[in-house]
Every structure is written in C-alpha cells, then in structure tokens.
Amino acid sequence: MVDELKLTILLKQSTHHLAIQEHIGNWLHRAQLSDEEFKASHYERAFKHIVFSSLIPIEKDGIYQQGRAYVLTIRSPLRDTLQRLKLCMQQCREDEHFQLVTSEIQRPKRMTHITEMLAITPVIVTVNRKPWLHENSVEQLLQQLHNNAVKKLLSLEPETQVEEGNHFIQGIRVENKKPIGLHYKGRKLLGNKLKLFINDDPQSQRLAQTVFASGLGEKGSSIGAGFCLAKYLV
C-alpha cells in the first residue's frame, strides 16, 4: 500500500535544483517537530519510510524561480504518517524558502506488477562508507540496493520471510555520465539517476513496491533521494 501527500507550494527564493532537496527536507523536518511521535523518532537510526520528489514542473535551466507555484509529492507506505505530516505542514505553513498553498492525500493507481522503475531524484548508495561511482562494480550497486530494500521491507513487515540470493532487480542502467551532487549539511552527496528492470516473482515485486513507497537507496527522508516512477502491467 502506498499513499502520496501532494503539496502545492509557492517558492520564496530562486534556488538551484541541486540545493532545493535539502531545503525541502529541512522544512519537512522542522514541521515534524510539532508532532511528539515524529519528534521522538527524529534522531533514531531507523527507516522513516518517507521519500519526496523534486518540485514539479522542473525548470529547464535548473533554477526554480521565486514567486512560482510548484507541486511537491511526499510518498509513504504508512498512511498515518502522511496524515500526521499533513497536519504538521498546516501548522508550519512557511519558512524562508516555501509557502504552503494546498495539501491533499491521494492514493496512486494500484500497481499490480512493476516492470521498470526510474529514479527521478538521484539514488545515493554507499559502499564501505564511500559513494558508489561509475568505476565501482555494478554487482556492488545491485547488492547494496537489494540489501537496502530487504531492510526496509523487514522494518515494515518483520514476519516476512525473504529468500537469500533472489535479487529483485533483473537489470540496471545508470542514466547520467557523471555523479550528481546533492547539497546536504555543507557538503555534496553523490548519487545517480537509475533505471531498474524488475524481476517477475512475488518476492521481487514486494521489494519493488517497498522501495517505490519508501525510496530507493539512502537519504530518502532527508533529501528525497531515490524517488521513483514505476512502469507496470495493468
């Protein structure tokens, strides 16, 4: 199950697209401090099961423009999380970068069978505490993405049995020639736009649905990394 919180926002400062994700994350986290459950879990090393998109429409020159309205999508497999977040955003309607105009929770079309996934925000994967780069092996990338997906699924469904050695990704393609650096706490986190081809078996489908809802890779709740679109069979 997956739900989306759609926010229409007014941008108060023109901002580069590589910096906007951090500003969005900071606004969301600041708003969450009004909720005791969010506040208590803020520093816990646990999956938040929230991932957010870039602002839509995307600007061709890479600069989001002051005074323009954009749509932000926040996705989660936990409807209660989005309902509480919606209330938080209504109490923290603006900061120095954004002003909230409208908010609405929607349920996207049900996906019965995912065939492909495309990350529209960079996917961040670390191997031995370093970012995965083009010169690293694809096998490492696949393994880290799979391991992360399994951990997210088990955090949602602890009783689920996951067969080892059965990766949910059949194939992968890196869409960018150079790593993409997203601003985060005074540094840049390097990530990549990825296209995934998903295996057909039930376990692979469940893992694909999990990362669609919770984000692919790392830093989904912090800077919206790994927000994906999915292609599926009806």
Side-chain angles (χ1 to χ4, degrees):
M1 197 68 69
V2 58
D3 288 291
E4 294 178 343
L5 174 58
K6 298 279 188 178
L7 304 181
T8 302
I9 62 176
L10 189 68
L11 191 62
K12 298 169 70 174
Q13 298 182 31
S14 295
T15 308
H16 194 276
H17 71 103
L18 295 179
I20 198 77
Q21 298 300 109
E22 182 179 24
H23 295 323
I24 295 170
N26 289 341
W27 184 33
L28 299 182
H29 293 159
R30 194 176 301 115
Q32 289 173 26
L33 295 178
S34 64
D35 179 285
E36 289 302 320
E37 189 173 341
F38 279 140
K39 190 175 180 179
S41 65
H42 186 70
Y43 295 104
E44 292 179 358
R45 294 182 63 84
F47 293 116
K48 304 299 189 292
H49 294 293
I50 292 175
V51 64
F52 54 87
S53 68
S54 51
L55 298 184
I56 302 297
I58 296 172
E59 299 290 356
K60 292 182 179 180
D61 63 357
I63 306 296
Y64 288 105
Q65 297 298 318
Q66 178 182 358
R68 289 187 183 175
Y70 297 93
V71 175
L72 172 68
T73 300
I74 306 169
R75 190 182 289 156
S76 177
L78 305 172
R79 188 174 182 85
D80 176 68
T81 293
L82 290 186
Q83 289 173 331
R84 288 167 35 232
L85 181 57
K86 180 182 178 181
L87 292 175
C88 290
M89 299 310 298
Q90 290 171 344
Q91 295 179 51
C92 182
R93 298 190 68 88
E94 62 181 297
D95 68 357
E96 64 268 31
H97 297 282
F98 311 104
Q99 180 179 336
L100 178 64
V101 180
T102 64
S103 58
E104 180 184 8
I105 293 178
Q106 301 176 357
R107 180 156 291 173
K109 184 187 296 184
R110 183 184 178 191
M111 294 173 297
T112 56
H113 189 97
I114 299 176
T115 58
E116 299 176 11
M117 297 179 69
L118 177 65
I120 60 171
T121 60
V123 179
I124 294 173
V125 172
T126 54
V127 180
N128 298 324
R129 298 187 177 182
K130 295 181 180 180
W132 184 90
L133 301 174
H134 287 65
E135 55 264 30
N136 299 129
S137 73
V138 173
E139 288 74 17
Q140 282 183 318
L141 176 61
L142 289 170
Q143 188 64 55
Q144 291 298 104
L145 290 173
H146 180 79
N147 291 346
N148 180 269
V150 169
K151 290 176 182 177
K152 286 175 178 173
L153 175 59
L154 293 178
S155 76
L156 290 167
E157 303 173 8
E159 303 303 318
T160 297
Q161 299 294 318
V162 178
E163 295 181 14
E164 295 184 6
N166 182 21
H167 287 192
F168 79 100
I169 303 170
Q170 183 181 75
I172 191 167
R173 186 168 73 209
V174 180
E175 299 286 284
N176 49 283
K177 294 182 179 180
K178 295 181 180 180
I180 302 166
L182 292 177
H183 295 208
Y184 183 65
K185 294 184 177 180
R187 57 196 175 105
K188 290 185 178 181
L189 296 182
L190 299 181
N192 297 277
K193 297 283 187 74
L194 303 177
K195 185 172 185 178
L196 308 183
F197 302 90
I198 308 302
N199 280 315
D200 294 330
D201 62 278
Q203 177 174 291
S204 295
Q205 288 296 308
R206 187 68 191 94
L207 289 168
Q209 291 165 5
T210 298
V211 297
F212 177 80
S214 297
L216 180 65
E218 306 163 27
K219 299 296 181 185
S221 64
S222 302
I223 52 175
F227 186 93
C228 295
L229 302 179
K231 181 178 179 181
Y232 56 95
L233 298 177
V234 178

